[in-house]
Amino acid sequence: MRIEANETLHFQNLNECIRTCGDSEIYIDHCIGQRYIGAGSGGKTIHIKGTPGNALGAYLDGTDIVVEGNVQDAIGDTMNAGSIIVYGSAGDAAGYAMRGGKIFVKGNVGYRCGIHMKAYKENKPVIVIGGRAGSFLGEYQAGGLIVVLGLHQDGKPIVGNFCGTGMHGGEMYIRGTLPAGLPEQIKAEKLLGISDEWVRGILCEYAAAFRLDAQALLSDTYYRLTPDSENPYHRMYTNN
């Protein structure tokens, strides 16, 4: 099914078309800010040309979304499964409270990417960012994986301020540069290449999606950020 999503198509009508369509492949052309595309859907592949609005793929439950352009705020909000692949950049709060699935962004992301991410058993959410990440990356992260590659920094820091604030689970891999001003409750480990097989697989998948040199990414220097179990955040709120 192919949908022409110009400025006259209301987001409710667009999403009704997606929900009722019996086709597994849906193509949306000239998207111009329509919100909630693919929200809660599973079992479909949605190709989007243009700029979808806020909450793309919210509560996503197995659908794969590919965007040939930029996306706005809160993509993958509370998503459970599936994938969102963005060939441009993303706004704020990408992956808010996501519980599973993958978000791959070729460009940059805004503030509070990965806030409240969580994992449960085999469900481990993943966000990989090809460019830079804004402030409060991984704020209150409770699980899952965030990777920032910084492939096109434009002279700016790879990660903004307050990275890992409140982080109490999961892990981050920051390529090349240790973010400044990390909280005392975060432990940073320098890695000369990626050895973890699961993370290697994720980066190979990312490289394939955007036609990058996987081996170059895997062999580079990273800083792995995890919560410091010897200095956890709960100590800040406990009277001794």
Side-chain angles (χ1 to χ4, degrees):
M1 180 180 185
R2 187 172 292 273
I3 302 171
E4 177 68 23
N6 56 42
E7 66 274 7
T8 64
L9 181 61
H10 195 275
F11 75 88
Q12 291 179 330
N13 296 330
L14 172 59
N15 287 314
E16 182 64 21
C17 288
I18 294 171
R19 282 192 294 269
T20 58
C21 177
D23 297 346
S24 60
E25 296 266 346
I26 298 173
Y27 295 83
I28 301 173
D29 295 324
H30 303 107
C31 188
I32 186 166
Q34 287 88 351
R35 295 171 281 170
Y36 312 121
I37 295 175
S41 68
K44 298 180 184 294
T45 300
I46 301 174
H47 304 268
I48 302 173
K49 291 184 177 180
T51 305
N54 291 352
L56 169 74
Y59 304 101
L60 200 67
D61 204 21
T63 281
D64 297 314
I65 300 175
V66 180
V67 182
E68 296 183 28
N70 298 323
V71 297
Q72 295 184 3
D73 298 341
I75 65 168
D77 184 343
T78 324
M79 68 184 284
N80 295 307
S83 65
I84 301 175
I85 298 177
V86 179
Y87 280 81
S89 294
D92 297 338
Y96 178 91
M98 68 183 293
R99 300 175 289 195
K102 301 183 183 76
I103 296 176
F104 290 169
V105 178
K106 185 176 183 180
N108 305 321
V109 299
Y111 295 160
R112 290 191 159 89
C113 177
I115 180 174
H116 288 302
M117 281 177 64
K118 53 186 67 67
Y120 180 69
K121 294 184 177 180
E122 72 278 3
N123 296 319
K124 294 182 179 180
V126 171
I127 301 175
V128 183
I129 302 149
R132 306 185 309 274
S135 297
F136 296 100
L137 176 70
E139 185 180 26
Y140 305 119
Q141 183 181 352
L145 170 69
I146 299 174
V147 181
V148 185
L149 297 174
L151 296 175
H152 29 85
Q153 294 176 243
D154 301 326
K156 298 178 182 179
I158 187 171
V159 174
N161 299 321
F162 312 112
C163 176
T165 300
M167 180 185 184
H168 54 281
E171 56 186 342
M172 297 188 215
Y173 283 71
I174 312 298
R175 176 178 164 270
T177 304
L178 182 66
L182 287 175
E184 294 181 359
Q185 291 76 23
I186 299 300
K187 179 171 63 175
E189 175 187 5
K190 187 175 182 179
L191 304 176
L192 302 178
I194 302 294
S195 59
D196 184 281
E197 287 301 320
W198 179 60
V199 180
R200 287 177 65 89
I202 294 295
L203 287 180
C204 285
E205 187 177 347
Y206 181 92
F210 298 118
R211 298 183 181 180
L212 301 174
D213 184 346
Q215 191 54 46
L217 294 179
L218 295 173
S219 61
D220 216 333
T221 299
Y222 289 80
Y223 287 89
R224 179 176 180 261
L225 309 184
T226 55
D228 187 350
S229 60
E230 297 182 358
N231 187 24
Y233 269 94
H234 72 76
R235 290 189 180 185
M236 299 175 65
Y237 310 107
T238 303
N239 294 322
N240 295 320

